[in-house]
């Protein structure tokens, strides 16, 4: 699966990340924040349990459930 990765500043130079299937718009429930494109068309392996660089756990399950995957703030 290929995803577009967006980021937003949180605090103390820390960012949270949002992974959206390639070519899809950012979901409505997160458009009220300032997401900036980080990388376009990033390949996510079919068996990936996490995207560690982006602190995203279970990306495939999150995308299946919500249409996007997001950084877990407790994991940062």
């Amino acid at each position: 699966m290929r995803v577009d990765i967006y980021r937003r500043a949180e605090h103390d130079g820390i960012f949270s990340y949002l992974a959206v299937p390639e070519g899809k718009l950012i979901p409505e429930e997160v458009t009220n924040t300032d997401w900036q494109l980080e990388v376009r068309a990033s390949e996510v392996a079919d068996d990936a349990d996490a995207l560690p660089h982006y602190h995203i756990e279970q990306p495939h399950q999150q995308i299946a459930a919500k249409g996007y995957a997001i950084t877990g703030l407790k994991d940062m």
Side-chain angles (χ1 to χ4, degrees):
M1 170 192 305
R2 290 178 6 157
V3 297
D4 297 331
I5 305 285
Y6 296 86
R7 74 175 187 173
R8 72 171 180 209
E10 293 296 338
H11 55 82
D12 298 330
I14 295 173
F15 292 92
S16 58
Y17 295 91
L18 179 72
V20 179
E22 180 183 28
K24 300 282 184 181
L25 297 176
I26 295 176
E28 238 179 81
E29 62 263 30
V30 295
T31 58
N32 62 341
T33 58
D34 296 329
W35 292 100
Q36 297 177 344
L37 183 64
E38 172 81 1
V39 64
R40 192 172 299 280
S42 179
E43 189 66 40
V44 178
D46 291 340
D47 62 349
D49 290 331
L51 302 176
H53 181 74
Y54 303 112
H55 306 282
I56 295 175
E57 297 294 324
Q58 302 178 331
H60 294 289
Q61 293 89 336
Q62 285 194 60
I63 290 170
K66 302 183 284 193
Y68 62 91
I70 194 164
T71 298
L73 293 179
K74 64 180 177 56
D75 299 329
M76 295 178 15

